[in-house]
Every structure is written in C-alpha cells, then in structure tokens.
Amino acid sequence: MDAARLSPPRRLSVPIANRWGDGVMSVLDFGDAKRPVDLIFCHANGFNAQTYRSILAPLASSFRILAPDLRGHGETRLPTETRGRQGWSDHRDDLVSLLETLDGPPVVLAGHSMGATAAILTAAERAERVSRVVAFDPVIWRRPVVMALQLPILRDMARHIPLVKNALRRRVRFDTREQAVAAYRGRGAFRGWSDIMLIDYLASGLTETGDGLTLSCTPQWEASNYAAQAHDPWRAMERFDRPIRILKAETNSTCAAGPASRGLPQVSVETVPGGTHFFPMLRPDIARDALFDAAV
C-alpha cells in the first residue's frame, strides 16, 4: 500500500484575518506536500475535519487534500460571536482566506451539509480559484424559503426550530473519551457509523480541560449555524459558471435543488439510493468515488 495512504495527515495552522475576527484555522493536509493542493473538503455542522479522515486518506496517494476545521469547530481558534449572526458568510470568508494562501491551479471545493453549502458560497466569491464543486447533501432550502429567510422577522423565527433546540440540549462534558464513545455509539446522527469514524470525530470533537473533556463545537455555536440561514446558495450557484455536482440523500435530504433546477445548466443533481443526510459516513465509498472523479 502507498506510504501516502498510510501516513497520517499533517496539521497546519493557517492565520485568518477578516471582519468576523482574527485567529488561526486548523487544517488537515493529506498527500504529498510537494504538490499543489487538488481539493479542499469542508465538514458538516458540529463535526470537524478529522471526522472524514477515513474517506479522505485513501485518496492521498493520488491527490493533495486540505480539510479545514471551520470556525467554531475542532482545533480552529477563531472568534464565534453569535449575536446578530445572520448567515454563513463567516465560513465563506474564512475559506476565501484559505484559498488565498494557495499557489497552483484552481482547486476542487467539496463538502458535506453545511460544509457543502459553504463550498458553494466560496466558489461564487473566488470562481477563478475553483475548478468545480462537489456537494454532499448541501443545505439548500427552496427558493421562496431562502427569500423569506432574508426578512428579519423570519430570521428570528429560525431560532426556534427543533434543530436549534436540540443542539442547545447537547451534553457538553465527558469524563473520558471512552465515556463519550459509549454515549454516541449507535445513537441519533451517529447511528450506523463505524467505530473508526466515531473515534476520529471525537479526536478533534472533544477538548481536554482540567477536569475532563468538553465539546470543541459548543452547543451555542452549533445552534447558531442552524439558525443563521440568511445566505443565498441559489444566487451563489448562479454566479459560479463551472460544474457543481450535488449528491443528495433519498430520505430526509436538506437539499431542495433538483435535476432540472431553473437557470442552472452547470449544476447536476443525483439522488443516492437509500441515502440519508449522513450517507458520506454510512457509504464512504460513494463519497470517495465522487471526490476522486472530481479531482482526477
């Protein structure tokens, strides 16, 4: 087996400075450090880059891949102000800053859920730096809903949706990592995950404190990501004139885009048979194949 596939990813610290507050973004770097970056992969809300290691590592023998911990997640240290927050422009701008550190040809931007939407928003801002987008069940509401969420009264109502309330009830502290594994294994969003992927999630998903471990992504920040929905992925897709491949779940999808979305000839949409929102975790072969096809 190729050494690049066996080697753990390097962890980079990338300075970020923008209107959302300065700090350091933690980024996993897979593959040959001497080659230009081929692909950037962005994780879902509440997770982190390490969660997707078993999907990305086998691709490292062919490609160089960066996987950042988004603001408020994993080992990234950037401010997380929730007051007045309206959308995911902060994640977009952080990814723009990451793109601007790179040399070489345009890269593939990819992601899952919130990370997929952030990739689409970023591609629209820096189209000259992005060759294409691969989005696994991105969060894209129907066009009328996106328009409505621009209104202040509806933005405030979003804070009362069940996802927000559930996030705020999440257990924050654990005595040991083993206790956390036992608490998550086979439950809720983690149902059907391999132990390897669950342990990878917790490796960066928990931060050691003096008396145990706490969630790296606080319930307040996770809830803010669910509630802040005033960004417009439809407009972003219209602005980006290169290929966007969307793979959406068959059940409980967060993506309202369809195979023939009006005015978006560069967007292809495929449904993953039997797939849920977490199909990248449950069917990593599908996610890996899609990333390989995009980066080759």
Side-chain angles (χ1 to χ4, degrees), residues 101-270:
T101 69
L102 304 181
D103 297 321
V107 302
V108 177
L109 276 185
H112 175 215
S113 189
M114 180 183 76
T117 306
I120 292 170
L121 298 173
T122 303
E125 290 298 306
R126 288 294 185 274
E128 75 283 358
R129 298 292 299 124
V130 180
S131 62
R132 61 183 60 229
V133 173
V134 180
F136 301 142
D137 215 37
V139 181
I140 301 177
W141 307 113
R142 292 184 299 110
R143 292 178 194 259
V145 174
V146 171
M147 293 177 63
L149 288 170
Q150 312 300 312
L151 303 174
I153 187 170
L154 290 184
R155 288 203 299 264
D156 292 339
M157 289 176 61
R159 304 180 188 282
H160 302 288
I161 64 176
L163 280 172
V164 172
K165 294 180 178 179
N166 290 340
L168 290 172
R169 288 196 290 264
R170 285 194 68 180
R171 178 176 177 177
V172 175
R173 185 190 172 281
F174 297 91
D175 293 328
T176 65
R177 292 186 183 276
E178 292 75 18
Q179 184 186 65
V181 169
Y184 286 132
R185 181 185 283 127
R187 298 181 182 178
F190 302 94
R191 188 175 295 112
W193 287 35
S194 69
D195 276 358
I196 290 174
M197 187 166 280
L198 179 57
I199 290 168
D200 277 345
Y201 156 65
L202 292 171
S204 292
L206 294 175
T207 299
E208 294 188 11
T209 64
D211 60 347
L213 304 110
T214 60
L215 290 177
S216 302
C217 177
T218 67
Q220 292 75 20
W221 185 249
E222 183 180 356
S224 174
N225 283 312
Y226 288 130
Q229 296 293 317
H231 47 273
D232 188 348
W234 292 102
R235 175 59 180 150
M237 288 191 289
E238 290 168 357
R239 292 173 57 200
F240 185 68
D241 61 358
R242 299 181 183 185
I244 299 174
R245 183 184 180 191
I246 294 174
L247 283 73
K248 61 186 291 186
E250 184 175 40
T251 59
N252 300 321
S253 177
T254 57
C255 179
S261 295
R262 186 179 73 254
L264 297 171
Q266 81 283 20
V267 178
S268 66
V269 181
E270 307 157 43

Side-chain angles (χ1 to χ4, degrees), residues 7-21:
S7 300
R10 300 167 293 278
R11 189 170 286 279
L12 310 178
S13 295
V14 179
I16 299 293
N18 57 38
R19 62 187 173 124
W20 310 106

Side-chain angles (χ1 to χ4, degrees), residues 12-48:
L12 310 178
S13 295
V14 179
I16 299 293
N18 57 38
R19 62 187 173 124
W20 310 106
D22 304 348
V24 174
M25 172 181 276
S26 181
V27 181
L28 294 184
D29 184 1
F30 296 82
D32 184 356
K34 298 184 180 66
R35 68 176 288 149
V37 173
D38 298 287
L39 184 148
I40 296 175
F41 184 88
C42 308
H43 61 78
N45 185 26
F47 299 137
N48 53 70

